[in-house]
Amino acid sequence: MSKKPNEMTRVLEYLELQNRPYSLNDIFLNLHKDIGKTALQKCLDQLVASGEVKEKLYGKQKVYVADQSRFPAVDEQALKALEQRVAELTESVDGQKQAVQQAEAALKAISSTLTTKEVIAQISQLRQQNEAMESRLVPLKTQQSPISKEERQRLERRRSEAVLQWRRRKRIAREVLDAILEGYPKSKKELYEDIGIETDEDLGVKMPQ
């Protein structure tokens, strides 16, 4: 039995279902190359001859579209309703895309910063360093013998570096905790309690100027 009637039916059904112009090559690719180009051209020629498909010439290329008289008349109200629905869905999709982009940006920011465990460890280490520096500073403040200008400058540099590190790490910790809070179901205070964060204010520590 010849396969041609089945091929013609398939081509016609495809054009009616899509209801838009296609070139021979478009149809060939969209039908997954199941019908050879020569056979496909013959199907289209016969469908054009029968009036079921219209052929239009654009430059040197032919395009084929199902005969529009085969479709029911368009209800203007229904068409407007569909257009409104398309606009609503497009707006919804745009909003969801923006939400996804924001979520991806937040995830990237969290992924590129320290983990909560690392932040806690660094804060603890920084506090220990600060306490050690303070303990060394006390006798220096109270000692009677003067220190040299070079020693004082060296100490001041070390103090400035320590304060700078303190400020930088505190900022990093705050950024990470703020990023966690965006998806955390509880308050900031509860988050700090859950992961064991103690702030400078909790300990009565004031950052030097």
Side-chain angles (χ1 to χ4, degrees):
M1 179 182 291
S2 171
K3 295 183 180 180
K4 197 162 189 178
N6 291 335
E7 291 175 348
M8 287 180 59
T9 300
R10 184 178 177 189
V11 173
L12 179 60
E13 288 177 349
Y14 175 77
L15 289 173
E16 289 181 339
L17 178 64
Q18 301 300 319
N19 195 23
R20 53 170 293 183
Y22 285 110
S23 67
L24 172 68
N25 193 57
D26 290 336
I27 301 170
F28 174 67
L29 295 175
N30 293 344
L31 293 180
H32 310 293
K33 304 180 183 179
D34 290 342
I35 304 175
K37 282 192 176 182
T38 301
L40 180 59
Q41 184 64 69
K42 290 181 179 179
C43 290
L44 289 168
D45 290 342
Q46 292 189 35
L47 289 169
V48 169
S50 67
E52 295 171 289
V53 170
K54 297 297 182 181
E55 176 186 272
K56 296 183 181 294
L57 186 63
Y58 290 97
K60 295 182 179 180
Q61 186 177 29
K62 292 180 180 179
V63 296
Y64 301 89
V65 64
D67 180 19
Q68 297 301 295
S69 65
R70 298 168 60 85
F71 298 96
V74 177
D75 184 337
E76 290 296 330
Q77 289 298 113
L79 185 59
K80 289 182 180 179
L82 287 174
E83 290 175 346
Q84 177 64 28
R85 181 58 177 161
V86 168
E88 292 172 355
L89 290 173
T90 300
E91 183 178 355
S92 175
V93 168
D94 291 342
Q96 291 177 19
K97 284 182 178 178
Q98 186 175 2
V100 169
Q101 290 174 349
Q102 292 174 348
E104 288 177 343
L107 178 60
K108 184 177 180 180
I110 293 173
S111 300
S112 62
T113 54
L114 299 176
T115 65
T116 302
K117 186 176 180 180
E118 290 171 336
V119 170
I120 294 173
Q122 286 207 3
I123 291 174
S124 176
Q125 181 183 7
L126 185 59
R127 285 197 178 119
Q128 291 174 5
Q129 291 176 354
N130 184 65
E131 289 172 1
M133 293 290 290
E134 290 289 345
S135 65
R136 292 183 60 187
L137 187 60
V138 170
L140 291 173
K141 288 181 177 179
T142 58
Q143 69 180 5
Q144 299 300 317
S145 59
I147 61 174
S148 67
K149 180 179 179 181
E150 291 75 15
E151 179 67 9
R152 185 174 66 253
Q153 290 175 341
R154 185 182 68 81
L155 291 173
E156 287 176 349
R157 284 197 300 271
R158 291 192 62 182
R159 177 181 181 276
S160 297
E161 290 172 359
V163 172
L164 181 63
Q165 288 294 324
W166 185 355
R167 184 176 291 109
R168 186 181 68 84
R169 294 182 184 185
K170 184 175 182 179
R171 175 180 56 77
I172 292 174
R174 185 169 57 249
E175 289 176 353
V176 171
L177 291 169
D178 287 344
I180 294 173
L181 272 170
E182 291 183 4
Y184 196 72
K186 301 179 184 179
S187 67
K188 178 189 289 188
K189 181 180 179 181
E190 290 173 310
L191 170 63
Y192 284 19
E193 291 176 353
D194 289 345
I195 61 180
I197 291 290
E198 292 180 323
T199 65
D200 293 341
E201 291 74 15
D202 294 335
L203 298 176
V205 177
K206 184 177 180 181
M207 183 179 297
Q209 298 298 320

